[in-house]
Amino acid sequence: MMRVLVSILNWNGAAQTIECVRDLLRQQLPDGARADILVIDNGSAAADAQALGDGLAGLPVRLRRESVNHGFAGGHNLAVADALAQGYDFLWLVNNDAVMGDTHVLARLLALMVADPRCGAASPLLAILDQPEKIYFCGNFHDWPSGTTQRARDVDEARRLAPARLAQQWVPGTAMLLRLDALRTAGALDERMFAYYEDDELCARLAAAGWHSAVAYDARVLHAMPKRETDRPPYYFYLMARNHLIFWHGSTPAAHRRALGLKLLDRALYDVNRLRYRGYPQHAEAALLGVEDFLRRRHGRPQLARRATLPLRWLRALLWLPHRRVLRRLDGNA
């Protein structure tokens, strides 16, 4: 018997979470497999928590209420601990706004895991909810020399790249299936990050421990995506700036660490100046604060009711002219 624990986080999104649970209950599993659903309410407002409880009543789901928001990493780590303690074989992290492409997504992920015993993390293809034919994830690879992620343009390219780059492949946390034996070796999600980049970091740590990540190309999950990056709230830019630095600084292999700190700082401040240049000063301020909190080793939940200190603001201003020249050149070549 293969036992799977499905972990769903709710934070003031009861209606979506209930629909997600109903969608998952329609999944058809192979013989010898069983899936249990755990919904973790991550410190929602009282009205939303009540709506969630009412909506899940009578469904074969376990609900755990938390008084504070532990973030993506901390919330799902509650499920990691639960799955390890209860002897599950796999843990499936599913975003509460994810929509299954069909009723066999989990079955196909499990088939991949069974066929590849060293696969520690797996994901379906991810497509845009209102454009289901448009796949936005089919394969991601850490490019350590350049300090960037190489994203496969289509499934054919992903299939071609993956065999030679298993150790660099990573999969998003949107619908990530994890092998519990791999987590026993590599550890759980990094709670310093709160949210974003914890999937990158975990997959890199799994690879360092001798596991790898893979994609089930025959499975698909739909997920809503903003039309523009800047449609996201300021806290997103804070977390992305801080956690980008945490990840690349902490996970880059020794062979590629020459002048790494300076390169990462320049890139982070370039992104701050890019947001200012594009006309999003509030997002830029949040990102700059994220850079400062990385430097000061402030982790966890974002606290945005403050500004970065003068030395970092001066450094950002000093780099404004060279960064603006790059941005203007890019605009000219567009």
Side-chain angles (χ1 to χ4, degrees):
M1 174 68 70
M2 288 189 296
R3 297 177 65 219
V4 183
L5 181 63
V6 184
S7 177
I8 305 170
L9 300 182
N10 178 74
W11 183 61
N12 296 317
Q16 275 190 322
T17 302
I18 293 163
E19 184 54 39
C20 179
V21 167
R22 293 184 180 279
D23 192 14
L24 288 169
L25 289 172
R26 291 190 283 268
Q27 287 291 296
Q28 299 181 20
L29 299 181
D31 292 340
R34 168 185 164 185
D36 301 316
I37 299 176
L38 170 64
V39 175
I40 298 171
D41 184 67
N42 224 359
S44 297
D48 191 82
Q50 182 64 49
L52 180 66
D54 292 344
L56 295 179
L59 298 178
V61 177
R62 187 154 49 99
L63 174 60
R64 174 171 177 167
R65 298 191 187 279
E66 293 295 312
S67 60
V68 297
N69 185 353
H70 299 287
F72 184 96
H76 280 308
N77 274 351
L78 297 172
V80 171
D82 191 288
L84 289 170
Q86 297 194 46
Y88 282 90
D89 302 291
F90 300 98
L91 175 65
W92 196 21
L93 313 184
V94 179
N95 277 20
N96 74 324
D97 58 350
V99 177
M100 299 297 109
D102 58 41
T103 58
H104 293 88
V105 175
L106 180 53
R108 292 176 179 129
L109 287 168
L110 288 171
L112 186 158
M113 287 287 196
V114 170
D116 187 352
R118 295 306 298 175
C119 179
S123 172
L125 301 175
L126 300 179
I128 298 176
L129 183 61
D130 57 0
Q131 298 174 273
E133 74 291 344
K134 189 170 182 178
I135 296 170
Y136 72 86
F137 163 77
C138 55
N140 291 340
F141 305 89
H142 293 129
D143 187 342
W144 300 119
S146 68
T148 61
T149 287
Q150 179 183 358
R151 304 182 189 277
R153 291 169 294 184
D154 53 42
V155 173
D156 288 340
E157 183 178 60
R159 288 181 182 273
R160 188 168 62 253
L161 290 172
R165 303 195 61 185
L166 280 181
Q168 291 83 46
Q169 184 157 226
W170 66 275
V171 296
T174 309
M176 173 193 277
L177 182 66
L178 295 166
R179 189 187 299 270
L180 268 299
D181 280 346
L183 294 187
R184 288 187 182 94
T185 304
L189 295 161
D190 187 340
E191 295 188 24
R192 294 177 303 163
M193 296 182 171
F194 191 76
Y196 305 113
Y197 273 98
E198 67 286 298
D199 40 15
D200 289 73
E201 195 277 337
L202 177 59
C203 290
R205 196 158 18 97
L206 286 168
W211 302 88
H212 59 259
S213 304
V215 180
Y217 301 111
D218 56 350
R220 183 178 301 210
V221 163
L222 311 178
H223 188 229
M225 294 289 285
K227 298 298 183 184
R228 301 171 302 173
E229 177 195 26
T230 46
D231 290 338
R232 297 179 185 268
Y235 70 77
Y236 168 85
F237 296 90
Y238 168 92
L239 288 167
M240 289 296 285
R242 187 193 68 186
N243 294 352
H244 177 274
L245 290 164
I246 292 174
F247 168 69
W248 288 101
H249 190 273
S251 300
T252 299
H256 307 293
R257 298 186 67 85
R258 184 177 180 182
L260 179 66
L262 291 175
K263 292 175 184 176
L264 289 175
L265 182 58
D266 178 68
R267 184 179 301 166
L269 294 177
Y270 169 83
D271 282 337
V272 172
N273 280 330
R274 176 178 61 85
L275 289 166
R276 292 179 65 89
Y277 177 79
R278 300 295 182 202
Y280 297 95
Q282 189 178 12
H283 296 344
E285 287 296 324
L288 188 64
L289 189 59
V291 175
E292 174 156 291
D293 281 1
F294 165 76
L295 295 172
R296 293 179 176 272
R297 298 185 180 182
R298 291 174 178 157
H299 304 138
R301 185 181 293 106
Q303 303 289 338
L304 301 184
R306 53 200 169 91
R307 301 186 74 190
T309 54
L310 279 175
L312 188 61
R313 302 178 73 81
W314 288 336
L315 180 57
R316 194 281 309 162
L318 184 66
L319 293 170
W320 169 250
L321 288 178
H323 288 165
R324 187 177 65 173
R325 283 196 293 269
V326 172
L327 288 161
R328 285 180 170 175
R329 185 163 63 249
L330 289 173
D331 284 350
N333 294 333

